[in-house]
Amino acid sequence: MAETDIKAIKGGRLIDGTGRDALENATVIIEGSKIKAVGRNVKIPNGAKIIDAAGKTIMPGMIDSHVHHMGMKGSERI
């Protein structure tokens, strides 16, 4: 994997989706399309592209699950 495929999102408020309190000044390491590490004291690999998230909120692993359901029930639209 090329070093440019490694990104570090650094310094943001992390919401992990578990219901725990947000983690301030967090870092997320992404290699390719995979999240490899998350936390406050995460080592940033040499050559990683650093993305400054200070003052922003990070929510890694979000999935776009927006769907419109349409259908017919008998001869009626539901």
Side-chain angles (χ1 to χ4, degrees), residues 35-57:
I35 297 170
K36 292 295 187 172
V38 177
R40 189 175 285 138
N41 296 312
V42 173
K43 182 180 183 308
I44 297 174
N46 291 331
K49 177 182 177 186
I50 297 176
I51 300 167
D52 182 11
K56 297 181 175 45
T57 300

Side-chain angles (χ1 to χ4, degrees), residues 6-68:
I6 302 172
K7 296 174 187 70
I9 303 172
K10 181 180 174 186
R13 171 186 296 117
L14 176 80
I15 297 175
D16 66 10
T18 66
R20 289 185 279 207
D21 289 341
L23 182 63
E24 301 293 333
N25 198 30
T27 299
V28 178
I29 304 296
I30 303 166
E31 292 183 20
S33 62
K34 305 235 185 244
I35 297 170
K36 292 295 187 172
V38 177
R40 189 175 285 138
N41 296 312
V42 173
K43 182 180 183 308
I44 297 174
N46 291 331
K49 177 182 177 186
I50 297 176
I51 300 167
D52 182 11
K56 297 181 175 45
T57 300
I58 309 166
M59 295 173 50
M62 295 294 292
I63 298 170
D64 181 4
S65 59
H66 180 104
V67 175
H68 292 268

